[in-house]
Each structure stands twice: as structure tokens, then as C-alpha cells.
Amino acid sequence: MTKKFVSLLLGLSLALHAQSYRDVLQAVDNALSLQSAQALEEAARLMAQAQRGLNLPALDAELSASYLKDTPTMYLHFGGPLGLAPAVPMGTKERWEGSLILSYPLFTGFVVTASIDKADLQHRLASLKRLDLKRNLYLQSTRLYGAIYAATQMLKAQRKGLEAIEAAYEKARGLYDNGLIPPADLYNIEAKKYAMLSRLKETEAKRRTLLSSLSRLINRPVDDIEGLAEGAGVPTQEVSLKRAMRMREDLKALEATLGIRDQEERLAKSRFYPTLDVAAAIDKQGDTLRLNGDGYTNADRSYVGARMRYNLFSGFADEKRLEAARARKLAAKLAMEDYKKEIATEIESAYYRLDALESRLQSAKMEIKARDEYYQLTLGRFENQLADADELSRAIADLAAARARKSAIESDIFTQKATIALQSGLQNFEKLYLAP
């Protein structure tokens, strides 16, 4: 039964279509979260175009109709017969008016230019947020890919351990049949075999869960993966930091936010300036839709005009708005400076961790060599009845665990190198891992 299970797992792994690290990264564009961010970026772009319309003249067409209860009348008081005042009609009950108005704001206290600049910055911010999301999706995909690789290598190590313990069980069975070892030793090895089989199943379940998580993240089925990609060399810490300060999308997003706060300050200041509008209209009125007058007043009411407005007092609201805008701008500036320090600390810690992992890898290689030598020695001693079954089982399990640790460290080093590249910005990472 055990051999059938192992054969099934091996056959299943071979049948699955393995995807490379490059394939997974390219599939990140298919992520639903990234598609959502692209839609928001498009919305911000369209809003920026809409704001530019404020800088153009406005042309409006108007048509109004009304029906009066009484006819407009003028009474003349000049002492006629019987002292009655003559009534002179001044219009009709039915009234129509149509106009075509062209207006343009000559000066708005920089409201128009600040609003347009703010909308452009909001579009840039949405674009940078999408790119930073993509950078984070690359990071999440890399971690899942590395974890899947580690789980796959652990499976291989556990299978080797299972094969070794099955071989040991067959030898112990022969010794037991010849009365050379007690039943306890045989049962001990058999128990270890089933314990290792249980761990193998748990590792396979973990691996399948990780594959499902990666599939959901990139919105594409991932049945299996290939080995770890050979990335480019890791630059010095100083180079990585300079690239991050120049190219990191999240830092650029904070800079765009600071620009938006600056435009909000300009908008708040605009309340302290007068506004000047000009308008020209073709305006006709009448008692029918022909708009040819009503027989009493002029049909043509076309005009050219200008209007200036200046707020003298607003209950100190304008002053408080300006103070609030300046406070938000200062908060954005301080947040950006603090984030720069956070990035520097993050990169420094990443290099420390990479150095530690590379040291652990050397130690893991030496441990595998020592565990393998001890296993061979213990196996020979067991065959000559100089070691018991428990000692042999521990030697097999320790060798399998050492191999798994080495694979896990290799996975961590791969993930850490990719993380360092991502810490320098999306463009730098794609150049190293996705360039043809």
C-alpha cells in the first residue's frame, strides 16, 4: 500500500504541467486585484481629462416657458372721466424665452489651474498605486513559489527517508524471521515507517494548499512548479538603497500625495482672490416658440457682460481651510521623510538576513554530509546487530530532516534575493527577472 501511494504521488507530479518562476510572474497581470487597480487608474485618467474642460469656454442653450395668471398691465393715473385710471396691457400671458450663452472665467484665483493639476496628480497617484500593487503581487508570488519549492523538496527528502526505512524494515524482517532481533525492534521500525508516511501526506497537503493560494493570487491554475530561477547577482546595499529612493513606486506615490496637498493649499488660497467672469448671449423672447416678441416688448435681449466677485468676510472659514490645507501638506511631507527611513531600515535588514541565510546554507550542507555518514554507519551496525532499530530509525529521520532544512534554506535565499530586487523598485526587478 505504501509503495502504491508513493508511486501515485510520483506519477501525479510527473503528469502535472509545471510552471516556471517566469511564467508565474508573467501571470501576475491576470490578477483580479491588479485588474481592479487598472480600472481605478482609468477612472482617474478620465477625471483628469474632465477637469481640463474647466479651462475652456462653456456654451449653454436655454429655453423657458411660462403662463401668467393675469396679463401684465400698466395703469395710468391722470384723472379721467369718473376718476377711473386707464389700463394699458404691457405683455401677454404666454411667455417664451430662448438663449445661447457663451461664458468664460477670466480669473478664478487659480482655482481652475489648481484643480487641473490636482486631477493630473491623482491620476499619477492611481498609476503608482497600481504599479506598487504589482510589486507586492510579485513579492507574494515569490514567497508562495519559494514555499512550494521547499515543500516539494521536503517531499523528496521524506520519500527518500521512507524508501530507506522500508529497506530497513525488510532487513529487520529477515533478521526477525531468523530469530536474530526481538519483535519490539521490528515493530519499532514499522511504527516509524507509518509515522513518516503520515508526515509525507501532511507535506503533500501543505503543498497543495500553497499551490491553490498561488492560483488564486494570479487568477490562473498552477498545478506544479519548476525549480528555483537563477536570478542576477545581488548589488551592494548602497546601490539598492539609491535605486529604491529613486525608483520605488510607493515612495513616488507619497511624493504625488504631497503634490496633491500642495494643490489643495493653492485651492484654499484662491478664496482670498476675486473672480472675474465674462459672458455673451443671443437671447430672444416672445409669446410663441417663434420668439419674435409679444407686440409690447423688444424680442431681442442679447447681451455682453462681465461679473467680478470678491468675498469680504466668510466667518473666518477661508482662513481655517487654508490652515487645514497647510497642516495636511506638512503631514504628507513628514510621512514621506519617515517612509524613506523605513525603506533604508528595510533594505539593511534584508541584507543582514541574506548573509545569515547563506551562512546557514553552508552549515546545512555539512550537516547533510555528517548525517549521511552516520546513517551509513548505523545501517552497517544494525545489519551486524550492533545497533538497535530505534537508533537506525532516528538516523534515517535525521538525514531526511537535514535534507529538508537545506532545501528550505535554498528557498529562503531565493526569496530573499528576489525581495531585495523588489525593494529597489518594480522596474529594477523586471529587468533582472523578466527581461529576455
Side-chain angles (χ1 to χ4, degrees), residues 44-55 116 119:
R45 184 185 70 82
L46 293 172
M47 288 302 298
Q49 289 183 348
Q51 285 297 106
R52 292 191 186 97
L54 297 175
N55 215 18
I116 293 173

Side-chain angles (χ1 to χ4, degrees), residues 18 60 168 193 237 262 403 435:
D60 299 297
K193 179 181 71 171
Q237 181 178 331
D262 185 55
R403 286 170 174 165

Side-chain angles (χ1 to χ4, degrees), residues 211-232:
L211 284 167
S212 296
S213 297
L214 182 58
S215 299
R216 183 204 61 79
L217 183 70
I218 64 175
N219 194 31
R220 180 174 295 179
V222 181
D223 298 321
D224 201 359
I225 64 166
E226 297 179 2
L228 299 178
E230 289 293 333

Side-chain angles (χ1 to χ4, degrees), residues 37 79 106 113-114 136 140 166 197 217 232-233 235 342 346 368 389 399 420 422:
L106 280 181
T113 54
N136 280 284
Q140 295 176 48
E166 284 182 336
L197 179 61
L217 183 70
E342 183 178 336
E346 181 183 279
I368 289 177
L399 177 57
I420 288 174
L422 284 165

Side-chain angles (χ1 to χ4, degrees), residues 74-186:
M74 180 177 69
Y75 294 93
L76 302 176
H77 298 275
F78 53 84
L82 303 177
L84 297 177
V88 180
M90 297 301 294
T92 60
K93 290 184 178 182
E94 190 173 354
R95 182 180 181 85
W96 294 81
E97 184 173 358
S99 57
L100 191 64
I101 306 170
L102 180 68
S103 60
Y104 182 73
L106 280 181
F107 182 69
T108 60
F110 310 110
V111 169
V112 171
T113 54
S115 297
I116 293 173
D117 291 343
K118 180 181 177 180
D120 287 338
L121 285 167
Q122 287 173 330
H123 174 216
R124 174 171 169 75
L125 179 61
S127 176
L128 289 168
K129 284 184 176 180
R130 176 185 62 82
L131 293 174
D132 190 53
L133 174 61
K134 188 175 185 179
R135 188 178 70 89
N136 280 284
L137 287 173
Y138 278 155
L139 180 59
Q140 295 176 48
S141 300
T142 299
R143 289 173 176 171
L144 285 170
Y145 190 96
I148 293 168
Y149 174 82
T152 302
Q153 296 305 113
M154 182 177 289
L155 272 176
K156 291 180 180 179
Q158 289 174 340
R159 286 169 185 158
K160 287 183 179 180
L162 186 59
E163 291 172 0
I165 207 164
E166 284 182 336
Y169 177 77
E170 293 300 325
K171 291 180 181 180
R173 181 83 185 186
L175 293 173
Y176 171 76
D177 291 342
N178 291 307
L180 297 176
I181 61 172
D185 283 357
L186 180 65

Side-chain angles (χ1 to χ4, degrees), residues 302-339:
S302 301
Y303 64 86
V304 174
R307 180 182 66 175
M308 186 184 75
R309 296 182 62 189
Y310 183 72
N311 177 256
L312 295 177
F313 181 68
S314 62
F316 305 108
D318 294 340
E319 288 82 356
K320 298 304 178 184
R321 288 192 188 96
L322 180 57
E323 290 178 12
R326 286 171 173 168
R328 285 194 294 269
K329 179 180 176 181
L330 177 61
K333 184 177 181 180
L334 293 174
M336 186 175 68
E337 293 302 320
D338 182 64
Y339 198 66

Side-chain angles (χ1 to χ4, degrees), residues 44-70:
R45 184 185 70 82
L46 293 172
M47 288 302 298
Q49 289 183 348
Q51 285 297 106
R52 292 191 186 97
L54 297 175
N55 215 18
L56 299 175
L59 182 62
D60 299 297
E62 295 182 2
L63 178 65
S64 64
S66 60
Y67 189 83
L68 304 178
K69 180 180 178 182
D70 297 319

